Amino acid sequence: MNLSDSVWYNKAMDKEIKLIALDLDGTLLNSSKEISKENRLAIDAARQKGVHVVLTTGRPLIAIQPFLKTLEMLDFEDFSITFNGGLVQRNTGQILSKKSFTHDEILEIKELTTKLGIPCDVLSEEKVYMTKSDVVSQYDTLNKLLTFIKVDFDQVTLDVVYNKIVSCTDKELLDAQLSKIPESYFEEFEIFKTQAKLLEFMPKGINKAYGLTQLTNQLNLGAENVMAMGDEANDLSMISWAGYGVAMANAVPAVKEEARIISDLTNDQHAVAHMIEKYVL
């Protein structure tokens, strides 16, 4: 399916959209990492109609606070899916659903990244434990709002919640080493790129579709009531799951293959606003 604004129909698309799930980078945010006026106004109009708008991201809640503030989505009845589905939260901070790694799983992934010669940063809530590796992590250049702690791996204690692991380095190195990961690791964990130079590890079965399922169950909604928009591999699950799965024009090919709707606009052309106006407003 490669036609502009093309749609393949299914019965779910007869249902009213009551929740819009939005990825951030490459989707809601433009190349300057900002929410355009067009996107903001469309989101506000959808919310005025009673539609939930949910930021669905790999980041922790603290790292998306500026965007929630811009969208005025900081109330008790506002929700976010963080850590790629590992946490479902009210935007006031209350956790509704949580799934994290065990220490043994963290150890297993650390051994893998060491063999591959790529960084291994362990995220626990708003803290990032940057464990020592042969290649210096670049993750601290992406998320300025997080607290970065440089440690030996054995200094990462047992009494923290392990939300996810990231490896952030040059795209060429990451792509070369990604192809060397044994299939057994993909069977045991969720492993995907979320940006050109960012590889993420999550507990098995934890993805954006999982997080949205937890939230929609609490809101008495179904997948058929959800429009999900994204562009990268970590958006695949929710785009495939949602009744209205939307790929940006700038989405990777795998996302376009799963999408029921492909926008003919990119994240720099206010694609989110266009989709909301066309299917919600």
Side-chain angles (χ1 to χ4, degrees), residues 10-28:
N10 71 342
K11 289 184 178 180
M13 292 179 66
D14 285 332
K15 303 295 183 179
E16 183 180 2
I17 296 170
K18 297 183 179 181
L19 188 149
I20 301 169
L22 297 174
D23 171 55
L24 286 175
D25 295 300
T27 303
L28 176 60

Side-chain angles (χ1 to χ4, degrees), residues 161-181:
V161 176
Y162 304 103
N163 297 108
K164 72 172 180 176
I165 290 178
V166 301
S167 185
C168 186
T169 186
D170 293 337
K171 176 183 182 298
E172 293 74 18
L173 173 60
L174 203 59
D175 288 344
Q177 301 309 88
L178 176 59
S179 65
K180 298 177 183 178
I181 297 177

Side-chain angles (χ1 to χ4, degrees), residues 90-109:
R90 295 186 186 275
N91 291 347
T92 54
Q94 180 187 1
I95 295 174
L96 305 179
S97 172
K98 178 172 69 175
K99 185 72 170 69
S100 55
F101 282 119
T102 65
H103 187 267
D104 285 344
E105 289 172 329
I106 293 293
L107 178 60
E108 189 175 353
I109 296 171

Side-chain angles (χ1 to χ4, degrees), residues 134-151:
D134 292 337
V135 176
V136 176
S137 171
Q138 300 177 25
Y139 193 56
D140 55 354
T141 67
L142 300 183
N143 290 280
K144 300 294 186 181
L145 294 177
L146 302 180
T147 300
F148 292 87
I149 306 169
K150 295 183 178 181
V151 294

Side-chain angles (χ1 to χ4, degrees), residues 61-169:
L61 191 65
I62 192 172
I64 64 173
Q65 287 295 318
F67 307 124
L68 296 176
K69 185 176 181 180
T70 295
L71 296 171
E72 298 183 356
M73 293 182 0
L74 293 168
D75 292 335
F76 184 75
E77 292 303 323
D78 295 319
F79 307 91
S80 292
I81 310 293
T82 58
F83 289 113
N84 289 312
L87 280 181
V88 179
Q89 298 176 265
R90 295 186 186 275
N91 291 347
T92 54
Q94 180 187 1
I95 295 174
L96 305 179
S97 172
K98 178 172 69 175
K99 185 72 170 69
S100 55
F101 282 119
T102 65
H103 187 267
D104 285 344
E105 289 172 329
I106 293 293
L107 178 60
E108 189 175 353
I109 296 171
K110 174 60 177 178
E111 291 174 346
L112 171 65
T113 59
T114 298
K115 290 178 182 178
L116 296 175
I118 58 178
C120 179
D121 296 340
V122 182
L123 275 75
S124 177
E125 305 296 342
E126 75 279 2
K127 295 180 180 178
V128 181
Y129 295 96
M130 304 180 74
T131 66
K132 290 183 179 179
S133 62
D134 292 337
V135 176
V136 176
S137 171
Q138 300 177 25
Y139 193 56
D140 55 354
T141 67
L142 300 183
N143 290 280
K144 300 294 186 181
L145 294 177
L146 302 180
T147 300
F148 292 87
I149 306 169
K150 295 183 178 181
V151 294
D152 290 325
F153 182 77
D154 57 11
Q155 292 177 296
V156 182
T157 62
L158 292 170
D159 59 350
V160 300
V161 176
Y162 304 103
N163 297 108
K164 72 172 180 176
I165 290 178
V166 301
S167 185
C168 186
T169 186

